């Protein structure tokens, strides 16, 4: 279980973060949530699909593999793609909330939170969080900026998914994957943007999507489906390496 603590330069002065990418640091994941602000970078390397939560709401994900615990972009040399999605980059940080301060303050203040049980967190090696005099290091500033970007992008991504669903632009998809060794894999439980339904949209809807900043992410999600084939090729190479070993 994560053990999140609000970050401060007294209790966490000596804390360091390991930035190496490896299964032992939790990078052996099949997918990660994605946000509309990063779709341009995500679609260049990963398929963008959609899942539903328990309330039936959709959210976008970047796909890294075809089964739980499989990340086909991860090797002994680290993460093999130039862009790593924001929800992966931000580990082991999260936005926490402290008590509001100041006259008339009503909203809780956003603060950096750190998972003290995360395998990246230690006091021996890695990127320092605080300088000797207590100021934030450039690494911590970068992490804080990323979290603010994620926080600001949550509502836009939710609105985007709601708009897609309201216009019937998401459809269930099943991937039937046959590998070079003859094995078959099936990927269930995902949705994608339906290209033929997008092509049938009227100008008023396209205009509204453009005004809301949803048009470009929609086309990026569509374009990303071409990455499924490159993911299959990665899977074939991984299977071949295992067979050779």
């Amino acid at each position: 279980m994560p053990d999140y603590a609000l970050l401060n330069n007294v209790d966490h002065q000596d804390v360091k973060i390991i930035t190496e990418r490896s299964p032992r640091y939790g990078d052996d994941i099949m997918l990660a949530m994605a946000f509309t602000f990063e779709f341009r970078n995500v679609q260049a390397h990963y398929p963008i699909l959609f899942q539903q939560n328990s309330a039936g709401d959709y959210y976008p994900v970047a796909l890294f593999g075809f089964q739980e615990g499989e990340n086909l972009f991860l090797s002994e040399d680290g993460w093999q793609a130039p862009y790593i999605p924001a929800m992966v980059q931000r580990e082991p940080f999260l936005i926490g909330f402290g008590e509001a301060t100041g006259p008339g303050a009503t909203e809780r203040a956003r603060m950096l939170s750190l998972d003290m049980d995360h395998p990246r967190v230690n006091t021996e090696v890695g990127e320092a969080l605080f300088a000797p005099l207590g100021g934030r290091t450039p690494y911590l500033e970068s992490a804080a900026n990323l979290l603010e970007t994620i926080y600001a992008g949550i509502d836009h991504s939710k609105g985007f998914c709601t708009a897609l669903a309201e216009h019937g632009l998401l459809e269930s998809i099943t991937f039937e994957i046959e590998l070079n060794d003859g094995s078959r894999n099936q990927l269930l439980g995902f949705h994608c943007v339906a290209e033929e339904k997008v092509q049938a949209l009227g100008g008023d809807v396209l205009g509204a999507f453009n005004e809301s900043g949803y048009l470009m992410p929609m086309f990026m999600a569509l374009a990303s489906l071409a990455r499924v084939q490159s993911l299959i090729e990665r899977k074939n190479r991984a299977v071949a390496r295992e067979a050779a070993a």
Side-chain angles (χ1 to χ4, degrees), residues 20-21 83 99 163:
E20 174 190 347
R21 293 292 165 185
Y83 182 77
E99 293 300 321

Side-chain angles (χ1 to χ4, degrees), residues 180-181 235-245:
N180 291 342
D181 66 353
K235 178 72 172 179
N236 276 321
R237 291 196 295 270
V239 170
R241 285 194 299 269
E242 291 177 4

